[in-house]
């Protein structure tokens, strides 16, 4: 996996869990410490199949014009040990088999273009199949031109796209070429049409240097078939990146 894809996945997990003050996959950070050598995982046939937590994601990246269908399996809950499917167990999206990605221990299938809906089907080691349909992906893009962003005051950034509905959140991130000063701004207010960039966070970023602005829209989707351990499912739309400069 390319380093930028790893960084994107890590950012997704941070937004999905840490910034919502719920759960964060601490195993991801273990991977960072280990230099992306691979997340530790166990085989799924070593645990009770009803104690497997599943996270489904349908992700479209406008920069690449690709859609990724992903599924992560963990023991007991979203903080549990990651699992690699064993025996007859498998995960499919629209009947296409997802393959295991050992770097971050999830399953993935790539598609050309945007796919906004589909069905995940997981068959466990007992040949029981759970199916869940995902939909509701909405687009969002940064305005062109972008509003002037200053270090001395907050800035409201409107997006091009629908206002937020229940279960959705919008995230704008800014990151310089140093790749060490990532700043994340978000809102999940129903009816919102803009994200506010707080001045104290923007102050971390350099002036007179290229800064990449990224917008991502998330939508939580109801899981209808799940194990006793539970499951989560969401769509994720990333608009086209824009390179900007921060005013002094």
């Amino acid at each position: 996996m390319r380093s930028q894809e790893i960084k994107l996945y890590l950012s997704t997990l941070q937004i999905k869990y840490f910034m919502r003050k719920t759960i964060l996959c601490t195993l991801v950070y273990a991977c960072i410490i280990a230099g992306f050598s691979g997340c530790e995982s166990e085989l799924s046939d070593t645990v009770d199949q009803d104690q497997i937590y599943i996270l489904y994601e349908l992700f479209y990246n406008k920069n690449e014009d690709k859609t990724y269908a992903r599924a992560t399996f963990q023991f007991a809950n979203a903080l549990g040990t990651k699992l690699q499917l064993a025996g007859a167990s498998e995960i499919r999206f629209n009947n296409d088999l997802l393959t295991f990605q050992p770097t971050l221990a999830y399953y993935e299938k790539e598609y050309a273009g945007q796919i906004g809906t589909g069905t995940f089907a997981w068959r466990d080691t007992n040949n029981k199949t759970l199916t869940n349909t995902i939909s509701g992906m909405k687009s969002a893009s940064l305005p062109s031109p972008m509003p002037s962003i200053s270090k001395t005051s907050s800035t409201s950034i409107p997006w091009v796209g629908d206002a937020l509905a229940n279960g959705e959140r919008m995230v704008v991130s800014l990151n310089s070429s140093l790749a060490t000063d990532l700043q994340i701004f978000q809102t999940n207010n129903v009816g919102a049409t803009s994200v506010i960039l707080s001045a104290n966070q923007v102050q971390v970023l350099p002036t007179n240097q290229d800064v990449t602005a990224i917008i991502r829209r998330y939508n939580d989707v109801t899981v209808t078939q799940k194990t006793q351990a539970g499951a989560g499912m969401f769509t994720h739309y990333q608009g086209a990146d824009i390179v900007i400069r921060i005013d002094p």
Side-chain angles (χ1 to χ4, degrees), residues 5 7-13 15-16 56-62 66-70 114-116 134-140 168-171 214-221 233-239:
E5 292 174 336
K7 184 176 180 181
L8 174 60
Y9 185 70
L10 297 177
S11 178
T12 298
L13 288 177
I15 294 164
K16 177 72 178 168
Y56 304 100
E57 175 189 5
L58 189 61
F59 164 47
Y60 173 71
N61 187 329
K62 179 68 173 178
K66 285 184 180 181
T67 298
Y68 299 83
R70 293 170 175 164
Q114 181 179 352
I115 297 176
I134 188 169
S135 62
M137 181 183 290
K138 295 180 183 178
S139 65
E168 288 188 305
R169 60 201 171 280
M170 194 75 72
V171 178
I214 303 172
I215 188 166
R216 301 184 181 118
R217 185 173 195 146
Y218 299 86
N219 180 29
D220 290 326
V221 181
M233 184 161 62
F234 66 101
T235 65
H236 172 189
Y237 182 101
Q238 180 179 341

Side-chain angles (χ1 to χ4, degrees), residues 2-178:
R2 299 189 303 272
S3 60
Q4 67 182 54
E5 292 174 336
I6 295 172
K7 184 176 180 181
L8 174 60
Y9 185 70
L10 297 177
S11 178
T12 298
L13 288 177
Q14 286 179 312
I15 294 164
K16 177 72 178 168
Y17 296 116
F18 178 71
M19 295 194 69
R20 296 181 69 199
K21 299 180 180 179
T22 53
I23 49 180
L24 175 65
C25 179
T26 54
L27 292 177
V28 170
Y29 291 100
C31 290
I32 299 176
I33 295 172
F36 298 120
S37 59
C39 280
E40 292 293 332
S41 61
E42 297 182 4
L43 295 178
S44 65
D45 59 359
T46 62
V47 303
D48 181 347
Q49 299 299 284
D50 205 36
Q51 291 300 315
I52 296 178
Y53 176 92
I54 312 170
L55 180 64
Y56 304 100
E57 175 189 5
L58 189 61
F59 164 47
Y60 173 71
N61 187 329
K62 179 68 173 178
N63 301 291
E64 301 175 336
D65 191 28
K66 285 184 180 181
T67 298
Y68 299 83
R70 293 170 175 164
T72 305
F73 299 84
Q74 292 169 259
F75 176 62
N77 54 54
L79 292 177
T81 302
K82 289 194 174 184
L83 301 172
Q84 182 175 358
L85 302 182
S89 186
E90 65 178 23
I91 176 68
R92 291 179 179 267
F93 179 76
N94 288 348
N95 207 36
D96 294 328
L97 190 66
L98 276 63
T99 56
F100 188 65
Q101 308 296 317
T103 303
L104 287 173
Y106 62 62
Y107 286 78
E108 181 181 79
K109 172 71 177 179
E110 293 184 18
Y111 296 91
Q114 181 179 352
I115 297 176
T117 186
T119 299
F120 287 98
W122 170 54
R123 183 175 67 190
D124 66 18
T125 58
N126 299 322
N127 287 318
K128 178 181 178 180
T129 299
L130 301 180
T131 60
N132 287 282
T133 297
I134 188 169
S135 62
M137 181 183 290
K138 295 180 183 178
S139 65
S141 60
L142 292 165
S144 181
M146 280 277 284
S148 178
I149 300 174
S150 172
K151 287 193 171 186
T152 59
S153 60
S154 62
T155 305
S156 179
I157 302 294
W159 61 77
V160 180
D162 293 341
L164 289 188
N166 187 44
E168 288 188 305
R169 60 201 171 280
M170 194 75 72
V171 178
V172 171
S173 61
L174 302 179
N175 196 16
S176 75
S177 57
L178 299 175

